[in-house]
Amino acid sequence: MTQLQIGDKAPNFNAKDQDQNTHQLKDYAGKKLVIFFYPKASTPGCTTEACNLRDNYQRFQSLGYEILGVSADNAKRQQNFIEKNKLPFPLIADENKDMINAFGVWGPKKFMGKTFDGIHRTTFVIDENGIIQDVITNVKTKEHSNQILK
């Protein structure tokens, strides 16, 4: 789905999280960053994925990674998702799909015989210089941390 590839410069973004804090790519200069795009907060697959990242968060931190989750949900829904699942990382409420479109993860999907537009579950691993090191499009929600930290 996305046209971004390993070796590309990550798109600049300016997006607000569940607490209305602004996040920009430049805020993560000098740090490794995992950005995971997920279809909808509090749905089964998205919860499994987010909780897998939560359960391995200390491992990510010890290796110098920050984590950002992104969906088109509003800030309140993102906040509820964090509180319900005790997620230790911010979730971007990208209702206008600016960040989603910049990373190219919005497009036609099929589910139960119907076609609709939505977020393609995709994760980007970005290095300290803002360069994409990995693009994971075949996300395994129960073992996503291992996919990222392979």
Side-chain angles (χ1 to χ4, degrees), residues 15-146:
K16 293 192 183 292
D17 68 16
Q18 74 285 346
D19 295 322
Q20 298 301 306
N21 295 318
T22 299
H23 296 261
Q24 298 179 60
L25 182 62
K26 67 181 181 184
D27 298 336
Y28 297 93
K31 300 175 185 173
K32 293 181 268 192
L33 177 62
V34 172
I35 303 176
F36 72 103
F37 290 88
Y38 58 96
K40 194 159 188 66
S42 298
T43 56
C46 297
T47 300
T48 299
E49 179 182 13
C51 289
N52 175 268
L53 295 171
R54 173 202 65 202
D55 294 347
N56 290 280
Y57 187 64
Q58 292 304 320
R59 194 169 141 211
F60 280 101
Q61 293 270 276
S62 71
L63 295 169
Y65 286 93
E66 297 292 331
I67 298 176
L68 272 182
V70 184
S71 76
D73 294 302
N74 65 36
K76 180 152 181 49
R77 187 171 176 104
Q78 298 289 45
Q79 183 62 49
N80 291 342
F81 192 34
I82 286 174
E83 289 172 6
K84 184 177 178 184
N85 297 289
K86 298 180 175 50
L87 303 178
F89 39 78
L91 299 178
I92 301 297
D94 193 15
E95 291 182 88
N96 293 329
K97 301 178 194 71
D98 294 333
M99 193 169 169
I100 291 163
N101 287 322
F103 280 82
V105 297
W106 184 264
K109 298 171 69 167
K110 286 189 178 183
F111 183 69
M112 297 181 74
K114 293 190 169 115
T115 302
F116 61 96
D117 283 341
I119 294 175
H120 289 256
R121 189 184 308 276
T122 308
T123 298
F124 296 85
V125 181
I126 301 166
D127 74 8
E128 299 87 344
N129 300 309
I131 304 299
I132 296 171
Q133 297 299 305
D134 201 2
V135 180
I136 303 168
T137 56
N138 184 19
V139 172
K140 294 177 175 44
T141 58
K142 292 180 182 173
E143 53 191 81
H144 196 38
S145 294
N146 289 333

Side-chain angles (χ1 to χ4, degrees), residues 2-20:
T2 183
Q3 301 298 309
L4 294 172
Q5 298 175 22
I6 293 170
D8 288 349
K9 179 96 173 113
N12 286 316
F13 57 85
N14 185 335
K16 293 192 183 292
D17 68 16
Q18 74 285 346
D19 295 322
Q20 298 301 306

